[in-house]
Amino acid sequence: MKPMKNSFTAIDFETAHGKRWSICQVGLVRVENSIITNQLSILVQPPNNFYWDRFIDIHGIDSEQTASAPTFNKIWHLIEPFIKGQNVVAHNGFSFDFPCLNQTLEYYNLSAPEFTGHCTYRLLGENLASLCKKYNITLNHHDALSDALACAELFQIYLGK
């Protein structure tokens, strides 16, 4: 794996319903030597474009917005370079984002790349909204790119300690 110091990818996924393979939005932020070098936000059509209302209430994404969006397997080639062989950071990564990635790759019969996972929740011990308030980080919670940007900033704070 690549050396951790100040180079990593922060990720966040939003899902359409309770199954982890129902990704409907991807947020990715690449940080090289403490500087954001790339970011990507993609709406994704989940399988059968099916949503649970309570998930729509959380993130505001619905089947109309993803009706013409690509499915995950069609955008994986854009996402994989952010993850493969990298240090990958997510808030609640081990309980949510990393299982989302692995189960979605499995759903589409795609190979999972190797990466080193880190979780800002485990490292900092508070939920994302509380940490953003504490450190004065802008957050549009449950927008995947905003959550990934906040996670990137939190990880840099952690690395600086």
Side-chain angles (χ1 to χ4, degrees):
M1 292 296 134
K2 294 192 174 196
M4 179 162 62
K5 216 49 179 164
N6 304 322
S7 295
F8 59 90
T9 296
I11 65 169
D12 186 73
F13 299 114
E14 298 300 327
T15 55
H17 53 75
K19 298 294 184 188
R20 298 287 193 244
W21 44 257
S22 69
I23 291 172
C24 61
Q25 187 187 26
V26 176
L28 298 159
V29 177
R30 183 68 195 151
V31 177
E32 297 281 350
N33 300 315
S34 303
I35 296 166
I36 294 174
T37 58
N38 200 359
Q39 53 186 291
L40 193 59
S41 176
I42 306 172
L43 283 178
V44 180
Q45 187 181 117
N48 302 314
N49 207 24
F50 175 74
Y51 285 79
W52 285 355
D53 288 343
R54 65 186 170 129
F55 282 64
I56 295 169
D57 292 344
I58 291 168
H59 51 58
I61 301 165
D62 63 28
S63 60
E64 282 185 32
Q65 291 172 272
T66 56
S68 61
T71 54
F72 188 87
N73 57 318
K74 302 288 189 219
I75 59 162
W76 174 236
H77 70 282
L78 300 172
I79 299 167
E80 187 178 27
F82 281 85
I83 295 171
K84 187 177 183 177
Q86 303 298 326
N87 287 288
V88 180
V89 185
H91 202 77
N92 284 326
F94 293 106
S95 60
F96 185 75
D97 298 280
F98 303 146
C100 280
L101 176 63
N102 289 328
Q103 289 179 33
T104 303
L105 290 169
E106 192 175 302
Y107 181 93
Y108 288 104
N109 201 26
L110 298 166
S111 299
E114 284 194 31
F115 64 90
T116 302
H118 304 275
C119 174
T120 49
Y121 179 77
R122 284 192 184 174
L123 295 170
L124 299 169
E126 291 180 57
N127 71 49
L128 189 61
S130 297
L131 287 166
C132 287
K133 189 172 184 177
K134 181 177 181 175
Y135 292 106
N136 200 25
I137 296 169
T138 302
L139 179 67
N140 177 13
H141 206 7
H142 299 296
D143 171 82
L145 182 58
S146 180
D147 288 0
L149 283 162
C151 182
E153 223 174 308
L154 289 168
F155 194 61
Q156 289 192 92
I157 289 167
Y158 171 79
L159 289 175
K161 288 185 175 179

